[in-house]
Amino acid sequence: MQTTDSHVKTDDAQLPQVQEPRNAGMDLDLSWVRAVQANTSAIERRAATLPGRRSVKKNHQAAWLCKAISLIDLTTLSGDDTEGRVRRLCAKARQPVRADILDALGMQDLTTGAVCVYHDMVETAVDALRGSGIPVAAVSTGFPAGLSPYKLRIAEIGESVAAGAEEIDIVITRRHVLQGNWQALYDEMREMRAACGEAHVKAILATGELGTLRNVARASLVCMMAGADFIKTSTGKESVNATLPVSLTMIRAIRDYEAHTGYKVGYKPAGGISKAKDALTYLALIKDELGDRWLQPDLFRFGASSLLGDIERQLEHHVTGAYSASWRHAAG
Amino acid sequence: MSVKDIFETMEYGPAPESAAPALEWLVDMGDRFGCFIDGKFTDPGETFEAKDPATGNVLAHVTQATEADVDTAVAAARKAQAKWAKDGHKRARALYAIARLLQKHARLFAVLETLDNGKPIRESRDIDIPLAARHFYYHAGMAELMDEELPDAEPIGVCGQIVPWNFPLLMLAWKIAPALAMGNTVVLKPAEYTSLTALLFADICRQAGLPKGVVNIVTGDGAVGEMLVTSDVDKIAFTGSTAVGRRIREATAGSGKALTLELGGKSPYIVFEDADIDSAVEGLVDAIWFNQGEVCCAGSRLLVQEGIAPRFYDKLRARMDKLRLGNPLDKAIDVGAVVDPVQLQAITDMVDGSNGDIHRAPGPLPDTGCYYPPTLITGLSPADRLMQEEIFGPVLVSTTFRTPSEAVELANNTRYGLAASVWTENINLALDVAPKLAAGVVWINATNLFDAAAGFGGVRESGFGREGGWEGLMAYTRPKGAGKEITPIAPYSTDDGNPIPPLDRTAKLYIGGKQARPDGGYSRPVYTRGGKLLGHASLANRKDLRNAVEAMTAARSWSQTTGHLRAQILYYIAENLSAREDEFATRINHLTGGRSGDKEVAQAVRALFKWAAWADKHDHRAKPVPMRGTALAMNEPVGNIGILCDDARPLMGLIEPMAPAIAMGNRVTAVASSPYPLAATDFYQVLDTSDVPGGVVNILTGDHAELAPHLAAHAGLDAVWSFSATDLSQEIEHASAATLKRTWVNNGRSHDWPAATWLAQSTEVKTVWIPYGE
């Protein structure tokens, strides 16, 4: 079996990859946006049958689960976060799985894709991850509701970038979507992208608050037109977060956008993905709908906090043949 | 391959389902199977091999049933039937037990099905077996409800059932569950490629404590099917190819055996420019690459609106190229093996003969086994052979259209009429197009959805009869009562030289709302019993029939009129007839030599009132299918109906079938009572004065026996009914095989049919699946 793809070097795989040209965006094309369709029931049927259509077993399953770890934005976004808590999380990001298990798998260099924190924790995280190659992502722009003064939201991005965040997860103004004000959404996204500078920007759509999949599809497209590097489902704070139907809708938008512009935009489902099996289903979805190229950290991330724990237990089971328990794995 | 390697390539590995339990079951059964007759397996006779098409491995040896086996099975079923029919609750318990056992052994059934048929385990596990179990649960309920809800119905008796190899267990369930629920017993023949799950099902029947003889399974090839067709059964239910269906129609003609046929298709898959294109592309995966395209209702004929066609094809090719083809037992396989080398060769030959633009998915094919790659052929026009003929493989053909009406025209440009899919985000368009499609099932923004509550079946050469739902029970019941034998009536022929009308009257034909001279230019005198000349009646020939069918077709807008309008017109007919009560009564008395003309006119007026009443009350049903959405069972008119009228009743013979037929929106051509034609010809004036649009009712006079074969053979007629005193059942059923039109013949007996029968004969149930949700 060939092992190619020089773009994956595990020692710095977590850096935003540079071999793909960054999405430069395009002028807002309202006729395209308005022509976008999303048939909810058909999308739900596809999503519902997907877990039954794809299955990976044995070594393949272990490899796919390691891949999932390498794609996790290990996240803490709580009001009670402290420096100590964040340092602990960063240590987990560096060593996501017990060393003996990684040794058995031959995956010693495995790390998570990034660590994702609030602005106040960026400096701590950057410090804790120094030398690891693991980037720090900051949620921004008045996360999670995105309703703080607009000026402050833009300024917040600059602060986080200055503090060392290489990735900025912004939240869009849901109102613009619900009111069909695509120009406003486009302008906002444009300005946020500009504020990010070299840092990559992930646009959080808060899909659970957009009402319809059609809105999800249209908002995805507008954010990509405005230069988003990633589109992301949720803050994790909405009552409904990442789902397979929403993911299918968004990645189809990504596929269309690439077909139209040539730019590959990344995808990040966030919130609600906590089981190893779910992660495998998501990877299969991405593989089948977007292709293998998207199974790299520069184009795909899981926004998750508890997913890693379940994957660790599955990997230990793979190595030992016995089911595991959570206390056998290091806390994050 | 190491974890590290796979981490880089992110390939799918093998994910095989174990074949062991199914293979063990085959070993336990001795690897050799007899037939299942009268509650037990017979000793294996002469056998043939059951093979795994994915590997060519022999799975078991299955008996080629003999004539004696078939006769013994039918006799066992006959013996068991009366007792089985007695207690609906007991039947419900038995069907419930079968459903439970199917679920308990679901994985065994799924693996065995995949081994025998080659379909992906995902499909047998997630679709075939659950749907089969669901069918038995649903019909357990029908058995429980039969006495209360269908008080006028009785079982048909012993049913011979022949099922195909594409959904072996599911088609068995569709056949056996409703038959058993309604108190019939069955002899079922599975396809010779795929007998094994039927034999496992027989084993389940034993475990369920089903009385012996209620279910019998005879195995073998088409020769066994022929034996079953000609055996002493009361009904044949067949699912399979149109060619074989035609042969069965011919073989059963005139036998009095009930028949339902679920045959081939070339179902259109229509994508309008405002559709969710990605979902429509994904739908095609389930339409044509489901079960390797070996699906009678496969969406095999793609019609795409011109403006989006290039983009749609690009997306479709990209999607095809991602399909995973291979070992059907692998849990991550999309396309499995074609059922048999013979089928593989047939597919290969058809595609190789095409001059379209052929795209075959590039993935590697396994070195051995019967595999054909997912294939798209574009650039075809309706005239191309592959646009017309069923391929029954993973091959999609395509053309484009410009407007909704052109989409409908192209969709209906086929001899088949099984299913159709319509993709658009515009509800106005979807719900406008669905009723216009010649199909028994329409899926809106979906494809290949099935449920026991929703009827399935076709029109045109896709067959007749429905499976599933209340409408499906019609296939396994008949109205109670044996009817009365009809004796042929000769016209009075004595001529005493005294005409009754002072002026010569020669009745013409009534075609397209006008009186027309007969093409042949012949007429015959009609006398009273006493020999007085009443007038002359035209003798219609096949060309007059042709003209009448053209008039009916031209009057097709009648089918789109409102029930209210049709009721108004029927009331108006009744009113005008009533005004001329005495004249018609006298006419009837003159014709028949009887004295009850006034009663017959009163009956006719009453019948017209009754069907005026029904015209706007044969409600469609909304089926509770297990999804967010609904399946509408729409009672659509059959279309053009040719009727040979009851000879004994000059007026009622016409009105009795005409009124329900036109009330339900059909157009009719009725051939009047052959000995007593002149009441029907008098009726022209009633029709003329009652706002009946020209062509909705056409009336011919002449010889039933001469016109019957032309009625049955005319491709423009959708159904033929015969109430003639001349028993023409055999001729009509035999001649109908060419077009597979619906026939309703009297087999020489007259019945007083309940309204439900008239309604069922006057309508086709179209199931329109409407998933919704935003």
Side-chain angles (χ1 to χ4, degrees):
Chain A
M1 180 49 62
Q2 60 186 18
T3 54
T4 55
D5 292 4
S6 57
H7 59 260
V8 184
K9 287 198 351 241
T10 42
D11 53 349
D12 63 359
Q14 288 71 27
L15 285 172
Q17 301 297 302
V18 290
Q19 48 277 71
E20 292 294 340
R22 203 177 162 189
N23 175 25
M26 57 178 278
D27 290 343
L28 178 63
D29 181 346
L30 277 176
S31 64
W32 182 9
V33 172
R34 291 193 180 119
V36 165
Q37 302 287 10
N39 186 283
T40 299
S41 57
I43 289 167
E44 286 174 349
R45 278 195 303 279
R46 164 73 171 141
T49 60
L50 184 77
R53 289 180 198 256
R54 291 293 180 257
S55 173
V56 279
K57 297 292 176 197
K58 300 196 161 67
N59 269 2
H60 285 81
Q61 187 179 89
W64 280 49
L65 290 175
C66 289
K67 177 61 75 175
I69 290 172
S70 76
L71 300 172
I72 290 177
D73 279 1
L74 200 60
T75 301
T76 183
L77 294 171
S78 297
D80 58 1
D81 284 344
T82 61
E83 287 84 353
R85 157 78 181 130
V86 169
R87 284 185 187 281
R88 220 166 64 196
L89 192 77
C90 291
K92 187 69 180 170
R94 284 168 173 266
Q95 180 72 51
V97 180
R98 236 170 53 211
D100 62 302
I101 297 174
L102 289 185
D103 283 345
L105 296 168
M107 293 294 300
Q108 289 82 350
D109 298 329
L110 188 66
T111 68
T112 69
V115 166
C116 181
V117 293
Y118 269 116
H119 168 78
D120 261 14
M121 295 295 138
V122 170
E123 282 181 24
T124 307
V126 167
D127 183 53
L129 292 171
R130 189 154 289 130
S132 69
I134 302 172
V136 172
V139 297
S140 193
T141 66
F143 182 95
L147 291 173
S148 51
Y150 185 68
K151 273 193 314 197
L152 298 186
R153 278 186 267 157
I154 299 298
E156 189 184 356
I157 294 173
E159 296 277 325
S160 294
V161 172
E166 293 175 69
E167 301 176 9
I168 305 293
D169 290 18
I170 61 101
V171 289
I172 64 163
T173 301
R174 279 72 120 181
R175 182 177 74 245
H176 295 333
V177 177
L178 297 175
Q179 295 176 339
N181 193 348
W182 304 115
Q183 186 69 51
L185 178 65
Y186 179 85
D187 293 344
E188 170 185 277
M189 183 70 227
R190 263 275 181 229
E191 192 167 356
M192 289 176 177
R193 155 78 195 256
C196 285
E198 288 305 303
H200 280 217
V201 58
K202 305 192 194 107
I204 303 175
L205 303 185
T207 53
E209 294 177 351
L210 298 188
T212 67
L213 290 181
R214 213 178 299 270
N215 277 347
V216 169
R218 291 176 179 175
S220 297
L221 199 54
V222 171
C223 287
M224 289 188 283
M225 288 172 175
D229 296 295
F230 260 72
I231 52 175
K232 174 178 171 184
T233 57
S234 328
T235 63
K237 312 289 186 190
E238 291 91 50
S239 57
V240 179
N241 294 291
T243 64
L244 281 177
V246 157
S247 296
L248 187 56
T249 306
M250 291 174 72
I251 64 182
R252 283 174 171 175
I254 289 172
R255 194 169 60 196
D256 273 353
Y257 185 75
E258 192 212 4
H260 196 85
T261 66
Y263 292 120
K264 291 183 169 65
V265 171
Y267 178 61
K268 179 177 173 183
I273 304 166
S274 58
K275 297 292 176 203
K277 192 171 188 325
D278 296 341
L280 295 176
T281 302
Y282 271 92
L283 293 180
L285 179 71
I286 298 300
K287 181 178 170 68
D288 284 6
E289 293 282 340
L290 286 176
D292 291 350
R293 178 61 191 85
W294 262 266
L295 296 174
Q296 302 298 341
D298 62 331
L299 288 177
F300 183 80
R301 299 287 178 79
F302 288 111
S305 45
S306 59
L307 172 63
L308 180 56
D310 196 53
I311 295 180
E312 286 176 273
R313 290 193 292 279
Q314 296 304 322
L315 287 176
E316 185 174 27
H317 172 248
H318 175 78
V319 169
T320 66
Y323 288 109
S324 182
S326 60
W327 46 264
R328 295 172 58 82
H329 304 280
Chain B
M1 216 189 324
S2 75
V3 170
K4 182 92 180 168
D5 291 339
I6 303 166
F7 182 87
E8 303 296 345
T9 64
M10 283 300 284
E11 292 198 345
Y12 291 110
E17 175 77 35
S18 169
L23 297 175
E24 280 161 24
W25 179 79
L26 292 171
V27 170
D28 288 347
M29 299 295 286
D31 277 336
R32 297 178 78 80
F33 291 86
C35 296
F36 182 72
I37 296 174
D38 207 17
K40 52 189 178 295
F41 282 100
T42 61
D43 292 334
E46 194 181 313
T47 61
F48 58 93
E49 291 172 340
K51 285 186 180 174
D52 175 353
T55 61
N57 293 341
V58 175
L59 296 167
H61 299 268
V62 180
T63 290
Q64 170 76 11
T66 62
E67 190 98 48
D69 291 331
V70 172
D71 290 345
T72 314
V74 171
R78 177 75 61 203
K79 194 168 157 218
Q81 197 262 325
K83 192 171 176 198
W84 177 248
K86 268 199 186 115
D87 188 337
H89 177 63
K90 272 191 186 156
R91 294 200 302 277
R93 292 170 74 109
L95 290 170
Y96 177 75
I98 291 173
R100 298 282 290 191
L101 281 160
L102 280 173
Q103 286 187 318
K104 279 183 221 173
H105 299 291
R107 193 57 62 92
L108 177 60
F109 271 106
V111 173
L112 191 62
E113 196 78 302
T114 285
L115 280 173
D116 203 13
N117 166 279
K119 66 173 63 199
I121 185 70
R122 198 273 305 182
E123 294 177 13
S124 50
R125 180 196 65 202
D126 295 349
I127 297 169
D128 291 49
I129 310 304
L131 278 174
R134 158 89 178 130
H135 224 74
F136 278 97
Y137 277 122
Y138 181 84
H139 285 95
M142 287 302 195
E144 184 70 38
L145 297 178
M146 183 182 179
D147 289 346
E148 232 173 280
E149 298 300 317
L150 302 169
D152 298 328
E154 63 181 19
I156 291 176
V158 176
C159 301
Q161 305 181 314
I162 302 170
V163 295
W165 44 256
N166 58 346
F167 295 90
L169 185 77
L170 183 57
M171 291 301 103
L172 173 149
W174 282 20
K175 293 277 178 287
I176 291 186
L180 261 47
M182 295 296 101
N184 304 276
T185 54
V186 305
V187 179
L188 177 130
K189 188 195 88 68
E192 74 268 30
Y193 293 155
T194 55
S195 311
L196 299 181
T197 48
L199 295 165
L200 176 57
F201 179 81
D203 206 19
I204 294 290
C205 289
R206 290 198 300 196
Q207 295 175 42
L210 202 66
K212 60 181 190 175
V214 169
V215 168
N216 304 275
I217 309 282
V218 292
T219 49
D221 60 14
V224 181
E226 284 180 42
M227 293 172 201
L228 189 55
V229 166
T230 52
S231 71
D232 177 33
V233 293
D234 303 303
K235 184 216 163 84
I236 291 290
F238 172 77
T239 296
S241 74
T242 293
V244 174
R246 226 187 283 287
R247 291 221 302 276
I248 293 175
R249 171 70 291 180
E250 287 172 355
T252 57
S255 66
K257 287 172 190 165
L259 180 65
T260 44
L261 299 172
E262 201 269 272
L263 307 173
K266 191 78 184 177
S267 298
Y269 188 101
I270 307 168
V271 184
F272 288 101
E273 61 190 6
D274 69 342
D276 173 355
I277 290 180
D278 287 301
S279 288
V281 167
E282 193 60 40
L284 277 167
V285 173
D286 291 329
I288 186 65
W289 294 303
F290 171 52
N291 200 23
Q292 298 73 246
E294 299 165 330
V295 183
C296 51
C297 55
S300 55
R301 201 159 46 101
L302 172 63
L303 307 175
V304 190
Q305 198 152 12
E306 272 183 18
I308 58 164
R311 188 162 147 243
F312 190 89
Y313 292 147
D314 283 346
K315 279 175 176 273
L316 179 56
R317 288 189 197 101
R319 181 68 186 93
M320 289 167 69
D321 296 354
K322 293 266 184 186
L323 291 170
R324 304 192 73 238
L325 180 145
N327 176 13
L329 276 175
D330 191 302
K331 286 181 264 193
I333 281 296
D334 298 309
V335 181
V338 170
V339 72
D340 188 86
V342 171
Q343 183 64 18
L344 180 63
Q345 192 58 48
I347 297 167
T348 307
D349 292 347
M350 286 189 85
V351 174
D352 289 351
S354 168
N355 54 8
D357 178 10
I358 302 175
H359 175 79
R360 292 185 182 85
L365 295 184
D367 296 334
T368 56
C370 301
Y371 291 95
Y372 198 88
T375 301
L376 168 69
I377 308 180
T378 50
L380 294 179
S381 56
D384 285 295
R385 179 178 170 224
L386 290 190
M387 288 296 286
Q388 299 286 345
E389 292 183 20
E390 190 173 30
I391 300 172
F392 226 64
V395 182
L396 178 66
V397 298
S398 178
T399 192
T400 58
F401 66 87
R402 296 167 298 173
T403 61
S405 61
E406 190 172 62
V408 170
E409 190 187 336
L410 286 174
N412 291 346
N413 183 216
T414 170
R415 288 178 293 133
Y416 295 111
L418 191 50
S421 294
V422 179
W423 290 80
T424 169
E425 289 301 300
N426 179 348
I427 188 173
N428 303 303
L429 181 59
L431 295 182
D432 182 45
V433 165
K436 292 176 177 166
L437 295 171
V441 185
V442 178
W443 294 291
I444 292 176
N445 291 322
T447 195
N448 281 341
L449 303 176
F450 309 102
D451 183 60
F456 182 91
V459 297
R460 296 186 178 169
E461 292 185 27
S462 293
F464 41 79
R466 293 290 177 268
E467 297 184 292
W470 292 97
E471 57 271 36
L473 304 180
M474 293 289 299
Y476 291 100
T477 55
R478 63 181 175 203
K480 286 177 177 164
K484 287 191 297 256
E485 198 171 325
I486 304 177
T487 42
I489 303 169
Y492 301 126
S493 56
T494 324
D495 183 359
D496 70 359
N498 295 311
I500 284 187
L503 258 180
D504 172 74
R505 281 187 76 185
T506 301
K508 295 178 191 153
L509 307 173
Y510 189 68
I511 295 173
K514 295 188 183 69
Q515 301 200 24
R517 286 205 172 76
D519 170 81
Y522 289 100
S523 58
R524 77 160 180 90
V526 180
Y527 301 105
T528 64
R529 189 197 305 220
K532 295 190 192 319
L533 180 69
L534 282 167
H536 283 76
S538 298
L539 291 174
N541 66 14
R542 60 200 295 265
K543 291 192 177 164
D544 299 308
L545 171 64
R546 176 200 64 191
N547 296 342
V549 173
E550 277 173 16
M552 289 157 89
T553 304
R556 68 177 83 80
S557 64
W558 177 251
S559 299
Q560 273 86 55
T561 55
T562 62
H564 174 75
L565 178 73
R566 294 197 295 269
Q568 292 303 303
I569 288 176
L570 280 157
Y571 283 126
Y572 200 11
I573 299 173
E575 187 186 318
N576 286 325
L577 176 62
S578 184
R580 299 169 62 176
E581 216 164 2
D582 295 345
E583 176 198 333
F584 271 92
T586 306
R587 179 63 114 181
I588 291 166
N589 289 341
H590 278 152
L591 283 164
T592 62
R595 285 185 299 187
S596 56
D598 54 345
K599 289 203 183 79
E600 190 173 328
V601 178
Q603 275 178 358
V605 171
R606 191 169 179 155
L608 289 162
F609 260 69
K610 172 172 162 176
W611 292 107
W614 267 113
D616 56 1
K617 293 175 189 65
H618 191 26
D619 300 343
H620 305 324
R621 280 185 157 123
K623 299 299 184 76
V625 288
M627 65 168 191
R628 191 187 56 229
T630 191
L632 280 185
M634 301 180 74
N635 298 309
E636 295 195 337
V638 173
N640 292 341
I641 302 179
I643 303 170
L644 296 177
C645 295
D646 177 8
D647 285 315
R649 296 172 296 163
L651 183 62
M652 263 306 272
L654 170 68
I655 302 299
E656 189 177 51
M658 179 204 83
I662 67 172
M664 293 301 113
N666 300 284
R667 293 84 63 184
V668 303
T669 291
V671 186
S673 162
S674 191
Y676 313 138
L678 297 183
T681 60
D682 290 350
F683 195 69
Y684 302 166
Q685 290 178 350
V686 177
L687 292 169
D688 282 337
T689 53
S690 304
D691 292 348
V692 181
V696 172
V697 177
N698 305 279
I699 298 172
L700 306 180
T701 52
D703 181 39
H704 287 182
E706 188 193 320
L707 288 169
H710 301 302
L711 282 167
H714 197 309
L717 280 171
D718 300 292
V720 174
W721 299 351
S722 175
F723 309 98
S724 177
T726 314
D727 184 7
L728 298 163
S729 307
Q730 201 275 338
E731 288 85 340
I732 290 170
E733 289 184 338
H734 195 273
S736 75
T739 56
L740 287 164
K741 65 169 56 73
R742 289 175 60 166
T743 56
W744 184 25
V745 296
N746 60 3
N747 291 299
R749 305 188 77 81
S750 74
H751 295 261
D752 192 7
W753 298 112
T757 304
W758 290 107
L759 289 169
Q761 292 291 349
S762 301
T763 52
E764 290 279 10
V765 176
K766 175 185 277 176
T767 304
V768 181
W769 289 75
I770 311 171
Y772 47 71
E774 178 65 46

